[in-house]
Amino acid sequence: MALVIDGKRISSEIKDEVRSEVAALKERGRAVTLAVILVGDDPASKVYVRNKKKACEYTGIQSVSIELPADTSEDVLLGEISRLNSDPSVDGILVQLPLPEGIDEHRVIGAIDPSKDVDGFEPVSVGALSIGLPGFVSCTPAGVIELLKRSGIGIEGKECVVIGRSNIVGKPMAMLMLRENATVTVAHSRTRDLREVTRRADILITAIGRARMIDRSYLKEGAVVIDCGINRTPEGKLCGDVDYDDVLPVVSAITPVPGGVGPMTIAMLMNNCLLSAKASERGRQ
Ligand code: NDP
């Protein structure tokens, strides 16, 4: 019987751990604060921001919301970031993506002080991950590592295939699995024979964005499957990149969608805020 990895339970565990550490910091007079910048009124972004605020409330992290109109100039946005960078009461800065057209995302993310880059998207954080230095790690891939570890799934020495090479999921995921001593292959839309590659995987991680694309023909018997995809079926039902019902009989462990990787992202964001506050507290001692 396959182990169904319960991301809801594990993310709650992490949020509870963060909550108790945040409370302990507060007792020492140190509040933890996340600043969230939202530009424009994209409905999906608004939902994400609302969920992040809810998680902040639960964990005791203060959230400061900066909502700017869609026609905000890049300079004004950069000015906000600069102000938050130099505000000692702010531990984490998050710019909700995507940004309206005409704003250079790389420039904006690159302006965040790496010591407050709780999303882990800033180039210094990305570079630190790839050369093995400490720094913030992008929340979804960091969440996948926690899911594996807390489910007792060993990573070292395993063949891991990551499908997807985006900057926010695929690439940092591959770097993290490498850091955990897996043998890592990254596949993408130009991979010649995807099945031949994925059938080598002891651990297959999908970050594709294609509803139920991966069926059992892509898998080795007994593989662990981690599905980062969040897609909709033609009927509008939430689903992953993996055809869950088809692969369930042949996998040793799997994350469902919803309830697998999804809830981990915000939990890891909360954890990154806590790590930032702890690092700045250490810096002041
Ligand atoms: P991107 O669209 O940025 O990247 C998708 C990747 O999949 C690309 O590298 C692309 O290859 C590859 N790909 C696309 N089609 C195929 C194919 N047919 N065969 C092999 N590879 C393919 O998406 P993201 O990385 O941002 O997101 C991926 C999924 O993860 C989405 O469903 C998204 O909603 C979800 N997601 C979930 C999060 C969570 O909290 N759980 C957070 C972020 C994302 P190429 O580079 O060649 O184009």
Side-chain angles (χ1 to χ4, degrees):
M1 261 272 277
L3 166 70
V4 176
I5 299 172
D6 186 347
K8 254 178 125 172
R9 181 184 57 76
I10 296 175
S11 66
S12 294
E13 243 172 57
I14 292 171
K15 280 189 280 182
D16 285 340
E17 289 163 15
V18 170
R19 183 180 154 116
S20 72
E21 285 207 55
V22 167
L25 277 174
K26 212 173 257 172
E27 271 182 24
R28 298 204 293 274
R30 175 63 165 90
V32 182
T33 303
L34 169 67
V36 180
I37 304 180
L38 174 65
V39 188
D41 43 23
D42 176 58
S45 294
K46 281 190 161 173
V47 173
Y48 292 138
V49 167
R50 199 162 57 233
N51 289 340
K52 285 166 190 171
K53 277 190 204 154
K54 262 203 237 161
C56 282
E57 271 163 33
Y58 182 80
T59 51
I61 293 174
Q62 293 182 9
S63 66
V64 177
S65 210
I66 295 126
E67 300 197 4
L68 301 169
D71 61 357
T72 300
S73 72
E74 192 173 297
D75 283 346
V76 167
L77 181 53
L78 291 171
E80 274 304 324
I81 292 174
S82 161
R83 184 180 65 76
L84 296 167
N85 280 344
S86 50
D87 181 342
S89 73
V90 172
D91 299 296
I93 303 170
L94 182 153
V95 178
Q96 184 62 47
L97 300 177
L99 289 169
E101 254 178 59
I103 297 184
D104 182 345
E105 207 164 280
H106 287 298
R107 217 169 146 222
V108 169
I109 299 301
I112 298 172
D113 182 333
S115 71
K116 299 187 179 188
D117 173 35
V118 285
D119 248 345
F121 294 165
E122 200 276 334
V124 171
S125 311
V126 176
L129 173 62
S130 63
I131 61 172
L133 289 176
F136 290 112
V137 176
S138 165
C139 300
T140 303
V144 169
I145 299 291
E146 283 300 313
L147 284 179
L148 290 168
K149 289 189 171 170
R150 290 177 188 238
S151 303
I153 296 167
I155 303 175
E156 183 161 324
K158 300 274 177 70
E159 284 283 345
C160 172
V161 175
V162 179
I163 315 178
R165 54 174 166 177
S166 72
N167 290 333
I168 59 169
V169 194
K171 276 187 211 149
M173 190 69 252
M175 294 310 307
L176 279 179
M177 291 303 276
L178 200 55
R179 191 164 88 177
E180 297 295 331
N181 298 317
T183 302
V184 182
T185 305
V186 181
H188 45 77
S189 69
R190 315 287 172 89
T191 297
R192 210 178 305 141
D193 184 350
L194 187 60
R195 278 188 186 79
E196 188 269 324
V197 174
T198 56
R199 278 202 207 113
R200 295 202 298 258
D202 300 311
I203 302 175
L204 177 68
I205 303 176
T206 64
I208 314 170
R210 298 260 184 281
R212 294 179 179 157
M213 178 184 135
I214 303 299
D215 61 21
R216 67 172 75 177
S217 69
Y218 287 85
L219 302 182
K220 167 163 97 178
E221 179 96 29
V224 171
V225 175
I226 306 290
D227 188 350
C228 299
I230 302 178
N231 316 298
R232 297 257 170 208
T233 62
E235 304 77 49
K237 225 179 120 196
L238 209 59
C239 72
D241 296 330
V242 176
D243 186 340
Y244 184 87
D245 293 335
D246 184 69
V247 307
L248 194 61
V250 302
V251 299
S252 61
I254 186 164
T255 56
V257 179
V261 176
M264 294 299 290
T265 302
I266 289 187
M268 298 314 289
L269 174 67
M270 298 299 107
N271 192 52
N272 277 350
C273 293
L274 171 66
L275 292 177
S276 177
K278 281 162 66 175
S280 94
E281 198 188 36
R282 277 198 303 275
R284 284 207 308 271
Q285 280 165 0

